[in-house]
Amino acid sequence: MVVIIAGLMLAANFWTDFKWFDSVGYTNVFLTELWTRVLLFAVAALVMAVIVGASIFFAYRARPGIRPMSLEQQGLDRYRQSIDPHRKLFFWIAIGALALLSGAAASGDWRSYLQFVNGVDFGVADPEFGIDIAFFAFTYPFLRILLGYMYAAVILAFIAAVIVHYLYGGVRLQNDSGQRATPAARVHLSVLLGIFVLLRAGSYWLDRYGLVFSDRGYTFGASYTDVNAVKTALTILTVISVICAVLFFANIAFKNTMIPVASLGLLVLSAVVVGAAYPEIVQRFQVDPNEQRLESPYIERNIESTREAYGVADTEVTDYDATTELTPQELAAEADTIPSVRLADPAVVSQTFQQMQQVRGFYQFPDVLEVDRYPDSEGNLIDTIVAVRELDGPPPDQDNWLNRHLIYTHGFGMVAAAGNLIDDEGRPVFTEYNIPPRGELSEVTGEYEPRIYYGREGAEYVIVQAEEEYDFPLDAENDEPEVPTLEDAVESSPSADEARAPAENEGGEEAPAEETEGAEEGTEEEPEGGSQQYNRYDGDGGVPLNNFFDRILFAIKYQETSILLNSAITSDSRILFERDPLDRVEKVAPFLTVDSRPYPAVVDGKVQWIVDGYTTSDGYPYANRIDFTQAVTDTFTDGSAQQVGALPGNEVNYIRNSVKATVDAYDGSVTLYGWDEEDPVLQTWEGAFPGTIVDRDEMSDELVQHLRYPDDLFKVQREIMREYHVTDAASYYGGQDFWSVPDDPTQEGEVSEPPYRQTINFPGSEEASFSLTSTFVPRGRENLAAFMSVNSNPESDDYGQLKLLELPRSTVIFGPGQVQNAFDSDADVREVLLPLEQSNAEVTRGNLLTLPFAGGLLYVEPLYVQAGGGGAASFPLLQQVMVGFGEEVAIGSNLQDALNNLFEGGEGPLPDPDEEGAEDEDPSEADSDTDSGGDTDLTEALNEAVDAWEEAQDNSEEANERLREALEAVEDAAGEN
């Protein structure tokens, strides 16, 4: 029964997998992998069976006709009597088991085999042997695998031979007659040992090429000792091993025990003296005292190879003498760059999306949203926060098999918000919203299919064209809260000095009435009376269930009898599974490592998931290896990148973003576009899977607009640039200039600050560019060392160009952690934050952005406030913006206000462009008005609130009453301002 059940499960998984590949048009991938595995299994199993079987057969045939009478042999007689009647059965069981095990192990190396037979030259020679790097990336690993299997086969054959010879008297432990082995046994074992030593000679010779992956020296790759001692020693050991192998084979004629014993002794002595002692002497007495001088050429090799392997060799490095002081006039000259700053934090506004656009409790948005670019009504591209409204499953009280897999099958609609616009209440300004979707995005892109059948949430599988599927609530427009839109933002244009609505009342019991009411309505359960729209899927996605046999197999696969018994499932029904876009890409392209951050985009009338795919290798000579998972782990990700194509242990030392993949959110179709078509690793896989990769020229213009530089690749390159921005061997050896990626100062614990997507004006560039940015701090310190960015606009000639601003070591520029500390300790900032932090409000610090600004570096951190005690209906509102430049920090109700407070104490070098007469107003008069008016009242009220809070620590009723009155005064003063 166990065998039958296992066989049925195997058959079900095999056939359903084939049907899945057929449904997406990638059967060539399935069949190529299958036949490669079968070939390797068959060859490895046959080789193992022949070598071990022949050894056992020869040992049995060479058994002595008359066994000597001894206590040892008499004790073995009962074993021989038990085995002899069934020796053929034992023989075939043993051979079959070894063949199965070796075949199964070999089939797992199908990637190495395909790379070996389809390898394409890199066109670059390694610096030590002058051989094309393709040998080390594709040929060397497979030769190592072959040697490993041959070693295993010969060793198992030797062990089997010794056992059989011992059982039948060919080899004896006791030496009654003066001979421990018969001549036939000595010949047999000598031949096996000779083959083993010959394989060892081949291994020694191959080890010479493996020195380019040595970690003996100061850096990764062949070091001085490896090149000048180990390489010579391996050549000598190769020759000695060949001589020893000849001696073993010669013993066929001599049949003398001393010859193999002497050969083994010579081999072991050579390995110890030549292979271990000699290199150690060179390292300790020659290299260690002169390491920097002797290792410099090899450090240079490591630097050059590493920078080339990770694609950072062409990084543009600029010495950036960042200014730390700025006058109001200089600030005003930079005013045109202010509106481009992305204040909406994708990790914080997710809660706002959830409350304002969830519509029903079973819809879901990711914890961290994505940043893309879409044109506004005037055609200007703006940074946009995007997400799709995915279906997490049916309501909890209705969560049964029918609802989960046949009724609640899909999400609905795209939701987007402008990244650089916040309304006067602190909410993101939506450009696509509600059900059915509407907004500026729809107007620009045109109508599109909003249903999300393939995404990152939902059931493992759904069956469509069976029951009527829940589509969306017909009263969704009435249920949803009124959302701030781009049109509203343009029409209202509140001035920078308008007071924001407080996040909660003084008791901290509820959010502003509008948000609370709308959020509660948007998350209520679906109304009674059936006021919802139903739909039947009419796409081509999934596998047809057009016969009862397929239904049986899927019922076995998912261990669900309802697939067989549900009467609504007909021959027209289709089952949709492997619905996660990452799973789909990694399945049709098992040679790729996929990025951990897929993102949705409206392309050509459809919602498409865009997935970046990497070709990786650990076989690039001299290039430093890193742990891929560790390198991509930061605040936004736990390192869960899909490591399908990554190497064992996740170590890589070569990476290219070779493929841009799309997954249609409606029908699940997968398209792999060759992005880096010059990549030899991609060309190798194209040879193995012809027709799988589509030329990049076939991308539509609309798709190209939404491509971006991938997160994980940038993080890997960032990890490399911590050390390999140093290109001088002597400086690298000293390590004084090494950097670190700063910890995220807005989070608890030691976790790397993520790179941020934002539009920046990079120094020297004529126009702003959509970029991915990060910072570095000196190793062991917190001040800023460098600012790194990459152009993420695929339509730009500069796309993918890494740029690095190196700050002077003589000037102290605050790093992210120091700026955060300055925010926390600044008296003016604390004066604003203290009433919020001491109330029930939950204060959330948004992403700390760093961007080049006015010849220096500007820090911008939005501050969100969420009503405490408001429950699930509350969500964060952007209430303040903190900024830092040089060693100065400030806070304001918006970015312009914060900058005005930062420079010259709020004299207003950046007037609100929408405020009438702002440009003509005399700054001195404005200051006079402000000082004599609302700001004075606000300051006095805040001071009173601070004093009252300090007294309230005694928990006296009178002090608490005073604190309440003080907070009311603060609110009144803010309203007057």
Side-chain angles (χ1 to χ4, degrees):
M1 287 299 296
V2 171
V3 172
I4 291 174
I5 293 173
L8 286 173
M9 291 296 296
L10 182 63
N13 287 324
F14 175 83
W15 183 248
T16 54
D17 268 359
F18 175 77
K19 298 283 284 186
W20 184 89
F21 276 97
D22 183 56
S23 70
V24 293
Y26 285 90
T27 52
N28 64 317
V29 174
F30 179 84
L31 295 176
T32 298
E33 179 180 342
L34 173 64
W35 292 121
T36 304
R37 286 179 176 273
V38 170
L39 174 65
L40 294 176
F41 181 96
V43 171
L46 180 62
V47 170
M48 181 66 71
V50 168
I51 292 177
V52 177
S55 180
I56 294 174
F57 177 76
F58 183 83
Y60 178 76
R61 290 292 300 270
R63 68 190 185 281
I66 301 176
R67 288 181 290 275
M69 298 301 296
S70 64
L71 293 177
E72 180 183 15
Q73 292 301 314
Q74 291 175 5
L76 291 173
D77 280 344
R78 63 176 179 271
Y79 291 104
R80 285 191 289 266
Q81 292 172 2
S82 301
I83 293 173
D84 272 346
H86 310 288
R87 65 177 183 273
K88 290 184 178 180
L89 178 62
F90 287 142
F91 172 81
W92 288 114
I93 289 176
I95 294 302
L98 288 175
L100 287 175
L101 291 174
S102 60
S107 66
D109 295 315
W110 63 272
R111 291 185 180 89
S112 295
Y113 172 76
L114 288 177
Q115 286 185 309
F116 171 71
V117 298
N118 296 283
V120 174
D121 287 346
F122 280 67
V124 178
D126 85 287
E128 179 59 32
F129 297 96
I131 301 175
D132 191 273
I133 289 172
F135 171 81
F136 301 95
F138 306 136
T139 305
Y140 176 82
F142 187 70
L143 293 180
R144 274 289 174 203
I145 291 171
L146 283 181
L147 273 175
Y149 281 112
M150 293 304 297
Y151 268 132
V154 172
I155 290 173
L156 289 173
F158 182 84
I159 294 173
V162 170
I163 292 174
V164 174
H165 279 303
Y166 178 70
L167 285 176
Y168 288 95
V171 173
R172 299 182 293 275
L173 298 179
Q174 297 178 358
N175 192 14
D176 298 337
S177 61
Q179 294 290 335
R180 292 186 181 273
T182 62
R186 286 198 297 270
V187 168
H188 184 195
L189 298 179
S190 293
V191 170
L192 292 176
L193 288 174
I195 295 174
F196 177 83
V197 175
L198 200 60
L199 290 173
R200 194 74 190 97
S203 181
Y204 280 135
W205 184 257
L206 197 59
D207 285 344
R208 296 168 67 254
Y209 300 103
L211 291 175
V212 297
F213 306 121
S214 170
D215 56 3
R216 176 193 295 270
Y218 186 79
T219 56
F220 185 81
S223 64
Y224 179 90
T225 301
D226 292 321
V227 172
N228 295 278
V230 178
K231 183 179 177 182
T232 303
L234 290 173
T235 303
I236 295 172
L237 288 173
T238 301
V239 175
I240 292 175
S241 297
V242 172
I243 294 173
C244 290
V246 171
L247 291 176
F248 278 115
F249 292 137
N251 198 42
I252 296 175
F254 295 113
K255 299 179 182 179
N256 191 319
T257 306
M258 292 305 296
I259 293 178
V261 171
S263 299
L264 283 175
L266 176 61
L267 193 62
V268 172
L269 182 63
S270 312
V272 172
V273 175
V274 180
Y278 171 57
E280 183 62 25
I281 292 172
V282 172
Q283 178 68 34
R284 179 166 299 184
F285 296 103
Q286 186 175 356
V287 176
D288 289 350
N290 308 280
E291 188 174 44
Q292 180 176 346
R293 178 175 57 84
L294 295 179
E295 293 287 4
S296 287
Y298 307 100
I299 294 175
E300 290 178 357
R301 291 180 178 181
N302 173 263
I303 293 173
E304 292 175 3
S305 297
T306 300
R307 288 172 62 88
E308 182 62 36
Y310 289 95
V312 300
D314 296 328
T315 301
E316 292 183 3
V317 180
T318 303
D319 292 330
Y320 191 57
D321 190 9
T323 182
T324 58
E325 297 181 357
L326 203 61
T327 65
Q329 292 74 22
E330 292 171 329
L331 175 62
E334 298 289 332
D336 60 337
T337 66
I338 297 302
S340 66
V341 177
R342 177 182 56 75
L343 293 179
D345 184 347
V348 179
V349 299
S350 173
Q351 299 178 56
T352 308
F353 273 51
Q354 192 75 18
Q355 292 301 322
M356 301 193 70
Q357 286 296 303
Q358 186 183 25
V359 180
R360 290 291 185 269
F362 42 76
Y363 287 123
Q364 182 70 32
F365 291 101
D367 293 334
V368 180
L369 308 183
E370 294 298 331
V371 181
D372 198 357
R373 294 191 309 158
Y374 282 92
D376 58 17
S377 56
E378 298 179 357
N380 300 316
L381 291 175
I382 60 173
D383 294 358
T384 306
I385 310 298
V386 298
V388 291
R389 189 183 290 103
E390 295 197 59
L391 187 68
D392 192 33
D397 58 344
Q398 300 172 11
D399 192 0
N400 53 54
W401 181 86
L402 183 66
N403 277 333
R404 175 165 287 275
H405 297 285
L406 273 72
I407 307 297
Y408 292 86
T409 58
H410 59 278
F412 202 98
M414 188 90 162
V415 180
N420 60 338
L421 294 177
I422 300 295
D423 80 336
D424 58 343
E425 294 183 359
R427 301 174 299 181
V429 175
F430 287 91
T431 58
E432 186 75 357
Y433 51 91
N434 290 1
I435 295 178
R438 65 178 186 271
E440 288 75 12
L441 188 149
S442 295
E443 294 176 3
V444 173
T445 61
E447 294 186 3
Y448 63 92
E449 173 56 64
R451 296 171 179 84
I452 312 298
Y453 281 89
Y454 292 87
R456 310 218 66 192
E457 303 291 341
E460 183 180 6
Y461 68 92
V462 296
I463 299 175
V464 296
Q465 297 180 11
E467 299 281 2
E468 291 285 333
E469 304 163 31
Y470 177 87
D471 206 26
F472 60 86
L474 289 175
D475 57 350
E477 296 185 21
N478 297 325
D479 279 352
E480 290 174 344
E482 181 179 352
V483 300
T485 66
L486 187 59
E487 182 179 355
D488 296 335
V490 173
E491 290 177 354
S492 61
S493 298
S495 69
D497 294 327
E498 279 190 67
R500 296 276 172 82
E504 57 176 309
N505 63 20
E506 60 272 20
E509 296 178 355
E510 61 181 0
E514 181 180 355
E515 285 83 351
T516 304
E517 180 182 357
E520 289 174 347
E521 290 178 354
T523 56
E524 66 182 11
E525 298 299 333
E526 78 178 46
E528 297 180 2
S531 58
Q532 56 262 343
Q533 176 73 38
Y534 286 90
N535 178 66
R536 291 184 70 88
Y537 182 75
D538 61 356
D540 297 327
V543 175
L545 296 174
N546 48 19
N547 59 72
F548 194 71
F549 176 72
D550 286 343
R551 291 177 65 178
I552 291 175
L553 292 180
F554 279 104
I556 294 174
K557 177 182 179 69
Y558 293 111
Q559 302 178 38
E560 180 55 67
T561 57
S562 296
I563 296 177
L564 289 175
L565 302 178
N566 186 280
S567 59
I569 300 176
T570 67
S571 59
D572 295 328
S573 301
R574 309 175 75 90
I575 182 169
L576 281 54
F577 60 106
E578 300 288 357
R579 301 169 70 201
D580 191 310
L582 294 186
D583 293 339
R584 295 180 76 80
V585 173
E586 69 189 22
K587 196 159 186 174
V588 302
F591 48 86
L592 293 178
T593 297
V594 297
D595 193 271
S596 57
R597 298 285 297 275
Y599 59 99
V602 177
V603 178
D604 302 326
K606 302 176 181 178
V607 176
Q608 299 271 1
W609 290 95
I610 300 177
V611 183
D612 286 283
Y614 309 118
T615 47
T616 60
S617 174
D618 68 347
Y620 201 99
Y622 280 98
N624 197 45
R625 289 174 178 168
I626 65 171
D627 186 293
F628 185 92
T629 300
Q630 183 177 353
V632 303
T633 301
D634 59 24
T635 303
F636 286 170
T637 176
D638 59 0
S640 59
Q642 306 295 307
Q643 297 297 312
V644 175
L647 301 152
N650 294 333
E651 283 199 339
V652 300
N653 70 353
Y654 173 91
I655 185 170
R656 291 291 186 271
N657 178 211
S658 298
V659 172
K660 300 283 189 181
T662 62
V663 178
D664 192 305
Y666 187 71
D667 63 24
S669 57
V670 182
T671 307
L672 307 175
Y673 295 98
W675 184 247
D676 186 355
E677 296 178 323
E678 301 300 320
D679 174 33
V681 180
L682 179 63
Q683 293 174 0
T684 295
W685 288 118
E686 285 184 292
F689 299 100
T692 302
I693 308 297
V694 178
D695 292 342
R696 64 181 292 173
D697 293 339
E698 297 189 25
M699 289 185 181
S700 68
D701 293 339
E702 191 171 356
L703 173 59
V704 172
Q705 288 179 359
H706 293 285
L707 300 181
R708 66 187 195 185
Y709 201 81
D711 290 74
D712 288 350
L713 175 60
F714 185 76
K715 285 185 275 190
V716 167
Q717 292 174 325
R718 178 179 69 172
E719 180 70 15
I720 290 299
M721 289 300 288
R722 291 190 312 106
E723 297 183 2
Y724 288 93
H725 67 278
V726 179
T727 56
D728 176 70
S731 300
Y732 187 93
Y733 181 86
Q736 299 92 343
D737 293 333
F738 287 173
W739 298 334
S740 297
V741 176
D743 292 335
D744 189 343
T746 66
Q747 303 293 322
E748 296 182 1
E750 297 181 358
V751 57
S752 296
E753 185 179 45
Y756 294 119
R757 295 190 182 278
Q758 53 182 328
T759 297
I760 63 172
N761 281 358
F762 197 87
S765 299
E766 297 181 356
E767 57 183 17
S769 60
F770 182 55
S771 303
L772 194 55
T773 65
S774 186
T775 58
F776 294 100
V777 296
R779 189 168 58 179
R781 291 182 290 162
E782 293 296 326
N783 57 289
L784 198 64
F787 174 83
M788 180 177 173
S789 74
V790 62
N791 190 324
S792 193
N793 179 11
E795 296 180 299
S796 170
D797 295 336
D798 213 20
Y799 170 82
Q801 177 62 60
L802 291 170
K803 297 181 180 181
L804 196 66
L805 297 180
E806 282 200 52
L807 302 177
R809 298 170 182 81
S810 58
T811 304
V812 176
I813 306 294
F814 276 5
Q818 292 173 320
V819 169
Q820 191 66 60
N821 289 334
F823 288 153
D824 295 337
S825 59
D826 184 79
D828 294 334
V829 175
R830 295 296 304 161
E831 191 174 31
V832 176
L833 296 186
L834 188 60
L836 295 173
E837 293 176 341
Q838 299 306 325
S839 64
N840 281 343
E842 179 181 344
V843 179
T844 301
R845 301 177 187 275
N847 41 211
L848 179 56
L849 302 177
T850 310
L851 61 154
F853 177 76
L857 287 164
L858 177 70
Y859 288 96
V860 179
E861 181 177 300
L863 194 73
Y864 293 84
V865 179
Q866 182 172 356
S874 66
F875 54 86
L877 299 173
L878 195 155
Q879 295 292 288
Q880 299 289 331
V881 177
M882 297 184 290
V883 295
F885 190 89
E887 297 184 5
E888 301 296 327
V889 297
I891 191 169
S893 59
N894 56 36
L895 182 57
Q896 291 181 342
D897 187 27
L899 288 172
N900 289 340
N901 293 333
L902 178 66
F903 298 101
E904 297 299 322
E907 291 185 358
L910 282 177
D912 192 322
D914 296 311
E915 185 176 348
E916 293 184 4
E919 296 181 359
D920 300 330
E921 184 179 1
D922 187 344
S924 62
E925 295 179 4
D927 285 347
S928 176
D929 293 341
T930 302
D931 291 340
S932 62
D935 280 356
T936 301
D937 295 339
L938 178 60
T939 301
E940 292 177 355
L942 287 171
N943 290 334
E944 179 69 19
V946 172
D947 294 339
W949 175 80
E950 292 176 351
E951 292 183 12
Q953 302 311 299
D954 298 331
N955 293 324
S956 68
E957 182 177 348
E958 180 181 351
N960 286 325
E961 178 64 22
R962 183 187 170 197
L963 176 60
R964 185 186 66 77
E965 294 175 354
L967 289 175
E968 289 179 352
V970 171
E971 183 176 349
D972 293 340
E976 293 174 1
N977 264 355

